[in-house]
Amino acid sequence: MSIRLRLTAWYTGILFVTLLIFSSAVYGFVHLYTYEELKQRIEQQADKIGFTQGAVEVLPNRSSAISLEEADLYVQTYTFYNGKLWQSQNMAFSGIQFDVPSVEKALNSKQAFKRVTVNGNSFLVFENRVVETNSGKLFGWIQVGANTRTIEQTLDRLQSILIMGSAATLVIASTLGLFLARKSMKPIGKVTEAAEQIQKGTDLSVRIEYDGPQDEIGQLIGTFNGMLERTEGFYKELEDAYAAQRRFVSDASHELRTPLTTIRGNVDLLQKMWEVAPGERADMDEATIKQISFEAVGDISDEAKRMSRLVNDMLSLARADTGQTFELDPVPLQPLVEEVARRAHFLEKTAEWHVGELSVLNGVYVEGNKDYLQQMLFIFIENAFKYTPEGEVSLDVVLYKGQVGLRISDTGIGMDKDEVPFIFERFYRADQSRGITSGTGLGLSIAKWIIDEHKGSVEVVTRRGEGSTFIVWLPVVFAPPLE
């Protein structure tokens, strides 16, 4: 059974119970009120009866009898002494007679009401005994009744009205309830259709249009659309991650293929040379063989170092991808930068190396890791040397609004501004540098990861043919006041 039918069934059942209780209460109240009013009228009229009590029978006086008949009441008296029965004219005319109890029952009875049926007519009869004034002995029996046919007909009509009205109300309420339930559950159907559409296809851009009130269903649709939006975002991120992974594997394979090919070619050359006995090759003397062997081993060593650097860089990026972090401690910047500047003198380079004034870093601390900060600076410095065949490379610092900027500038080949957003991607190298300078294209990716872990940022200013400037901004945790 669907939710719509269950809701309609519940509403109908609750309404049925409510109507049953209400109808029973109305009928019971009208029934009780009507008969109680009749009883009070009968009892009040019976109390007003004046008796003419003779020696042989009990008779209401004429005025009382006329008054009772005018009130549409039926009066009957019975005298136990001689068995005389007296009836009002309306009773005698209609041939109606109430049952008279025996003396024993009359003695043990008190005034009371009872319902009787005479000649197919229903009566509510008030009965009471009549005692002698002087001796207090049982003398007779008086009965005052009223025809309840009109009341019963009215109650029957009321009962029919309540039953038919309740039935009609149930039918109308059930029909309207089913209609409203379908209308209310229609947005849920849209949610189901959207979910099925997504299940059958891969279109996560589907959204449910809803312009109704922000009730429970509106909130459900809003939550569902929000879930779809987040799922679409996760799916796109996953696709981007898979694309980056495929690109990473492809680029890594490409970068590893070159040194492996070089190593294998040199190994094959050495193997062929060593398989030939000395003196058997007329075109090569021993010195030439040694020279070739020395060069081949040198190439193998250089390519092995290159592969080692590539593997280390890939391991660093793999740790970054897994979310691994490193401990951060307050690090004084002046000794760290001075050490990097000193060691940069010994790097392989063809450009001049200039170091600016570093005394402004005295007393300046950042929250970071000394080793990773040094690695990050060496990546930028080595890149500057690599892409500056002639000219100069400089390092200086600047303090600005609670941040310290480590600036590495060069006058090298530079790059176009549209290439800047991609230089921190893995294995990316500017087109103009491919095949001219060696490298794996992972250095700047590692540097960007280190900067992000230190909650810093990097600023790039470059122009083709005029060089590049990288400014690494790091938040300062402590610095002496500026003079």
Side-chain angles (χ1 to χ4, degrees):
M1 183 182 292
S2 64
I3 296 179
R4 293 189 294 268
L5 294 179
R6 286 203 300 269
L7 288 175
T8 304
W10 274 104
Y11 294 154
T12 305
I14 293 173
L15 181 60
F16 172 75
V17 174
T18 303
L19 289 175
L20 179 63
I21 295 174
F22 175 76
S23 300
S24 300
V26 170
Y27 182 82
F29 175 77
V30 174
H31 184 280
L32 178 64
Y33 177 79
T34 303
Y35 276 99
E36 285 297 325
E37 185 181 17
L38 181 60
K39 287 180 181 180
Q40 291 178 6
R41 186 166 65 89
I42 293 173
E43 193 170 3
Q44 289 174 358
Q45 293 296 333
D47 292 339
K48 294 178 181 180
I49 295 177
F51 290 100
T52 300
Q53 185 171 321
V56 293
E57 60 181 324
V58 178
L59 298 173
N61 56 37
R62 183 171 179 78
S63 62
S64 297
I66 295 174
S67 176
L68 292 173
E69 290 180 2
E70 290 177 352
D72 197 21
L73 298 179
Y74 299 81
V75 184
Q76 176 180 293
T77 63
Y78 182 78
T79 305
F80 289 106
Y81 178 77
N82 55 12
K84 292 289 185 178
L85 179 69
W86 180 89
Q87 292 181 324
S88 58
Q89 291 183 3
N90 54 1
M91 287 190 69
F93 177 78
S94 58
I96 297 173
Q97 182 178 341
F98 300 142
D99 294 333
V100 179
S102 62
V103 177
E104 291 78 8
K105 290 184 177 180
L107 287 173
N108 297 323
S109 301
K110 297 181 180 180
Q111 64 179 20
F113 286 92
K114 71 175 183 180
R115 295 182 184 181
V116 297
T117 302
V118 181
N119 298 335
N121 295 313
S122 299
F123 291 87
L124 180 64
V125 181
F126 173 75
E127 298 180 335
N128 194 12
R129 58 190 177 182
V130 180
V131 297
E132 293 181 353
T133 305
N134 297 326
S135 63
K137 293 181 180 180
L138 178 64
F139 185 74
W141 189 257
I142 183 173
Q143 295 170 301
V144 181
N147 195 327
T148 60
R149 181 180 59 184
T150 304
I151 295 177
E152 290 180 352
Q153 289 176 351
T154 302
L155 291 176
D156 290 341
R157 292 191 187 98
L158 176 62
Q159 185 178 16
S160 299
I161 291 173
L162 290 175
I163 293 175
M164 297 300 295
S166 298
T169 301
L170 283 176
V171 173
I172 295 173
S174 300
T175 304
L176 292 178
L178 183 59
F179 171 75
L180 293 176
R182 288 179 176 176
K183 186 176 181 181
S184 300
M185 298 300 293
K186 188 175 181 181
I188 303 297
K190 293 183 179 179
V191 175
T192 304
E193 292 176 1
E196 290 179 352
Q197 183 177 354
I198 294 172
Q199 181 183 2
K200 294 178 181 178
T202 58
D203 186 10
L204 294 177
S205 62
V206 176
R207 297 294 183 271
I208 301 174
E209 296 182 0
Y210 179 74
D211 55 358
Q214 289 301 314
D215 51 9
E216 290 81 357
I217 294 179
Q219 294 175 4
L220 173 62
I221 293 177
T223 303
F224 188 78
N225 286 335
M227 182 188 68
L228 288 179
E229 185 174 355
R230 292 189 62 187
T231 303
E232 182 181 10
F234 292 152
Y235 188 76
K236 289 182 178 179
E237 290 180 1
L238 188 61
E239 284 187 334
D240 295 340
Y242 282 152
Q245 183 180 15
R246 290 191 295 268
R247 186 173 65 253
F248 182 85
V249 172
S250 176
D251 291 341
S253 301
H254 174 76
E255 295 293 338
L256 289 172
R257 186 183 297 114
T258 300
L260 286 175
T261 302
T262 302
I263 292 174
R264 184 171 180 177
N266 283 282
V267 170
D268 291 340
L269 175 61
L270 293 176
Q271 187 176 8
K272 290 179 181 179
M273 289 178 57
W274 293 339
E275 286 176 353
V276 178
E280 294 183 2
R281 299 194 59 144
D283 56 339
M284 289 187 183
D285 54 11
E286 185 174 353
T288 303
I289 294 176
K290 287 182 179 181
Q291 180 64 28
I292 294 175
S293 299
F294 180 78
E295 291 176 354
V297 171
D299 291 341
I300 292 173
S301 177
D302 292 340
E303 295 300 331
K305 291 178 181 178
R306 180 183 175 188
M307 289 179 60
S308 179
R309 289 193 301 270
L310 177 61
V311 171
N312 288 333
D313 292 343
M314 293 174 64
L315 288 176
S316 297
L317 293 175
R319 285 193 293 269
D321 291 338
T322 57
Q324 294 185 12
T325 59
F326 39 79
E327 294 183 0
L328 301 179
D329 299 306
V331 177
L333 276 184
Q334 184 176 4
L336 184 147
V337 177
E338 289 178 347
E339 176 66 17
V340 171
R342 183 187 65 82
R343 292 168 55 185
H345 281 288
F346 304 102
L347 294 177
E348 182 179 352
K349 59 185 182 297
T350 57
E352 297 181 4
W353 173 239
H354 298 283
V355 180
E357 182 62 41
L358 302 180
S359 61
V360 294
L361 294 177
N362 184 25
V364 176
Y365 286 76
V366 296
E367 193 78 17
N369 184 284
K370 179 180 178 181
D371 295 333
Y372 280 101
L373 288 174
Q374 287 183 343
Q375 181 182 2
M376 178 266 296
L377 288 174
F378 274 117
I379 289 173
F380 285 113
I381 294 172
E382 288 177 344
N383 268 5
F385 285 144
K386 185 186 303 182
Y387 296 111
T388 308
E390 59 182 12
E392 62 180 33
V393 176
S394 63
L395 169 65
D396 60 347
V397 297
V398 60
L399 292 174
Y400 180 74
K401 291 186 178 180
Q403 289 187 318
V404 57
L406 306 177
R407 181 165 52 194
I408 300 95
S409 302
D410 65 70
T411 58
I413 60 178
M415 66 186 103
D416 293 330
K417 290 184 179 180
D418 56 357
E419 293 177 332
V420 173
F422 308 102
I423 60 176
F424 294 104
E425 293 184 3
R426 300 174 187 182
F427 294 107
Y428 179 84
R429 298 171 67 192
D431 289 340
Q432 61 177 325
S433 69
R434 292 185 182 271
I436 300 177
T437 58
S438 61
T440 62
L442 294 178
L444 290 182
S445 299
I446 297 173
K448 185 64 168 59
W449 169 62
I450 295 174
I451 294 172
D452 292 339
E453 290 296 319
H454 285 80
K455 298 179 176 59
S457 60
V458 59
E459 181 181 348
V460 183
V461 179
T462 183
R463 189 171 183 178
R464 175 174 289 191
E466 297 183 7
S468 303
T469 299
F470 291 84
I471 305 177
V472 179
W473 294 100
L474 299 175
V476 175
V477 296
F478 175 77
L482 297 176
E483 296 181 359

